[in-house]
């Protein structure tokens, strides 16, 4: 199906709703409503329903993150980390601590039996983010094993920290985690 402004708006709205409510709490009706599109449009653009829309919303969130990381990583792994942190700061603070990562939201809830495409897309997203960070760390002097460990730590720590920030309604944990992750990067690229 060709991309249209309405379809793109529906995917972006679904990503936002997933980040706020999670996979199980987001019905197809709510996903359509969050984008301002009529319910009939949902099935027109996403004939496979919620599974297709959620999968595309995860891919949308992945692409946004990849673009953010890739652009910042041109200036090194610390710059990439800082951009990643700022992206999550904007999401969490901008939503008054109500939104988090739609990729994580899909990852932590078991999919219905036989409906695993959103989970596969989420796994692929985490892998892409980790690979981008790993490559940057390697490009800046980290050995392969250390680069992979630190990149995985960055993705896992920030995803978990976003959840902590939402629960505490404070950005403090993000600042503390970011500082510790910068230390880990500097230790890896010496």
């Amino acid at each position: 199906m060709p991309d249209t402004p309405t379809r793109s708006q529906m995917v972006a709205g679904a990503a936002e709703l997933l980040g706020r409510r999670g996979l199980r709490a987001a019905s197809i009706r709510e996903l359509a409503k969050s984008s301002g599109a009529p319910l009939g449009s949902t099935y027109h653009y996403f004939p496979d329903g919620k599974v297709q829309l959620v999968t595309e919303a995860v891919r949308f969130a992945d692409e946004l993150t990849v673009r953010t990381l890739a652009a910042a990583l041109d200036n090194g792994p610390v710059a990439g980390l800082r951009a990643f942190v700022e992206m999550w700061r904007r999401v969490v603070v901008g939503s008054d601590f109500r939104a988090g990562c739609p990729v994580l939201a899909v990852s932590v809830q078991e999919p219905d039996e036989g409906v695993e495409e959103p989970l596969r897309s989420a796994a692929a997203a985490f892998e892409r983010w980790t690979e981008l960070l790993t490559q940057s760390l390697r490009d800046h002097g980290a050995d392969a094993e250390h680069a992979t460990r630190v990149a995985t730590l960055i993705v896992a720590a920030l995803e978990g920290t976003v959840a902590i920030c939402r629960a505490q309604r404070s950005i403090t944990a993000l600042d503390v985690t970011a500082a510790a992750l910068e230390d880990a990067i500097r230790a890896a690229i010496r």
Side-chain angles (χ1 to χ4, degrees), residues 23 51 54-55 58-59 106 109-124:
L23 179 61
V51 171
V54 167
T55 299
V58 168
R59 290 177 182 154
V106 168
Q109 294 182 340
E110 184 177 352
D112 293 333
E113 192 170 322
V115 181
E116 295 170 355
E117 188 57 34
L119 189 56
R120 282 193 293 272
S121 293

Side-chain angles (χ1 to χ4, degrees), residues 6-31:
T6 299
R7 189 175 195 287
S8 296
Q9 181 180 348
M10 293 174 79
V11 170
E16 181 184 354
L17 185 63
L18 287 168
R20 287 178 183 269
R21 307 263 329 265
L23 179 61
R24 293 273 182 213
S27 70
I28 191 72
R29 183 176 304 280
E30 288 172 318
L31 290 166

Side-chain angles (χ1 to χ4, degrees), residues 126 129-131 133-134 137 146-158 181:
F126 290 137
W129 305 349
T130 303
E131 287 173 357
L133 289 160
T134 298
L137 286 158
H146 204 175
T148 299
R149 284 196 321 254
V150 172
T152 302
L153 175 65
I154 290 168
V155 173
L158 289 179
L181 292 172

Side-chain angles (χ1 to χ4, degrees), residues 6-190:
T6 299
R7 189 175 195 287
S8 296
Q9 181 180 348
M10 293 174 79
V11 170
E16 181 184 354
L17 185 63
L18 287 168
R20 287 178 183 269
R21 307 263 329 265
L23 179 61
R24 293 273 182 213
S27 70
I28 191 72
R29 183 176 304 280
E30 288 172 318
L31 290 166
K33 184 179 175 184
S34 72
S35 68
L39 183 59
S41 292
T42 304
Y43 290 104
H44 170 74
Y45 289 114
F46 307 96
D48 292 333
K50 180 178 176 178
V51 171
Q52 183 181 6
L53 181 53
V54 167
T55 299
E56 292 194 32
V58 168
R59 290 177 182 154
F60 169 81
D62 176 27
E63 287 297 324
L64 284 177
T65 303
V66 165
R67 282 196 304 272
T68 298
L69 274 174
L73 287 169
D74 285 344
N75 296 312
V78 171
L81 170 67
R82 288 177 179 167
F84 204 17
V85 168
E86 287 310 308
M87 179 185 78
W88 289 122
R89 183 184 312 279
R90 284 190 306 273
V91 168
V92 172
V93 173
S95 68
D96 193 29
F97 300 92
R98 290 187 176 99
C101 179
V103 176
L104 180 64
V106 168
S107 299
V108 298
Q109 294 182 340
E110 184 177 352
D112 293 333
E113 192 170 322
V115 181
E116 295 170 355
E117 188 57 34
L119 189 56
R120 282 193 293 272
S121 293
F126 290 137
E127 188 173 317
R128 285 177 54 175
W129 305 349
T130 303
E131 287 173 357
L132 282 168
L133 289 160
T134 298
Q135 189 58 54
S136 181
L137 286 158
R138 290 186 71 191
D139 291 347
H140 287 82
D143 66 76
E145 184 180 334
H146 204 175
T148 299
R149 284 196 321 254
V150 172
T152 302
L153 175 65
I154 290 168
V155 173
L158 289 179
E159 290 293 315
T161 300
V162 167
I164 291 169
C165 290
R166 290 180 71 191
Q168 294 177 341
R169 300 190 55 76
S170 168
I171 210 70
T172 302
L174 187 61
D175 294 331
V176 170
T177 300
L181 292 172
E182 281 196 31
D183 290 345
I185 289 171
R186 287 190 181 92
I189 61 175
R190 284 188 185 165

